[in-house]
Amino acid sequence: MHSHFVLFELMALNIDIPTSKWLSMVIDDLFGLLPSYGGIIAVTLIISFFIASKLNSVVKKRTLTLTISSKAGVYGAAAIFGAAGAVGFLIMLAAMQPILDVTLIAGARSHLGIAAQCIAGFVSGLVYGRLR
């Protein structure tokens, strides 16, 4: 998402970016950001999913008395993890400046960019919630 937002901003300045360069930058960013931003994301998701797991346990205990179907429980868990991923990304982005003394990554300097990053966190939570 970060790479695409940067490239879209360059296109808005009437800079022509060939498809091969576009792909090259996305791949370079993927591997270049993996050690730093990927590590921060990993820690964020570990903490978020740990909290979501505890919340999911509480919700499961309460819903057993309501006899909700097992399928609803699976989707409910995925939703809890999805929300945890999105909130975790939002907190991570907000905390980067005061903790790490760095500006938000370029792809998250607009409201739309932040939303896209949070959607990525939401999707990661949904996937994790369904696979666990």
Side-chain angles (χ1 to χ4, degrees):
M1 300 249 183
H2 160 74
S3 304
H4 296 295
F5 272 86
V6 170
L7 291 167
F8 285 133
E9 288 296 320
L10 290 172
M11 287 178 61
L13 297 171
N14 293 323
I15 297 172
D16 183 40
I17 304 168
T19 306
S20 62
K21 286 286 185 190
W22 190 290
L23 271 170
S24 174
M25 183 176 174
V26 170
I27 291 169
D28 288 347
D29 278 354
L30 180 65
F31 290 107
L33 290 171
L34 188 59
S36 57
Y37 193 49
I40 294 168
I41 289 172
V43 170
T44 297
L45 292 178
I46 288 168
I47 293 168
S48 297
F49 294 166
F50 175 77
I51 293 168
S53 178
K54 297 299 181 191
L55 179 62
N56 189 45
S57 295
V58 170
V59 169
K60 267 187 184 176
K61 286 178 186 174
R62 291 181 187 246
T63 57
L64 284 177
T65 60
L66 300 174
T67 63
I68 292 179
S69 73
S70 61
K71 199 169 209 176
V74 169
Y75 292 120
I80 289 171
F81 283 99
V87 170
F89 265 58
L90 184 62
I91 292 169
M92 171 193 67
L93 292 169
M96 285 177 81
Q97 174 64 40
I99 293 173
L100 301 174
D101 197 30
V102 295
T103 312
L104 289 174
I105 63 166
R109 288 188 180 145
S110 67
H111 294 303
L112 187 58
I114 291 171
Q117 294 286 314
C118 291
I119 289 169
F122 181 77
V123 170
S124 67
L126 285 178
V127 170
Y128 180 80
R130 291 285 293 151
L131 293 177
R132 68 181 276 288

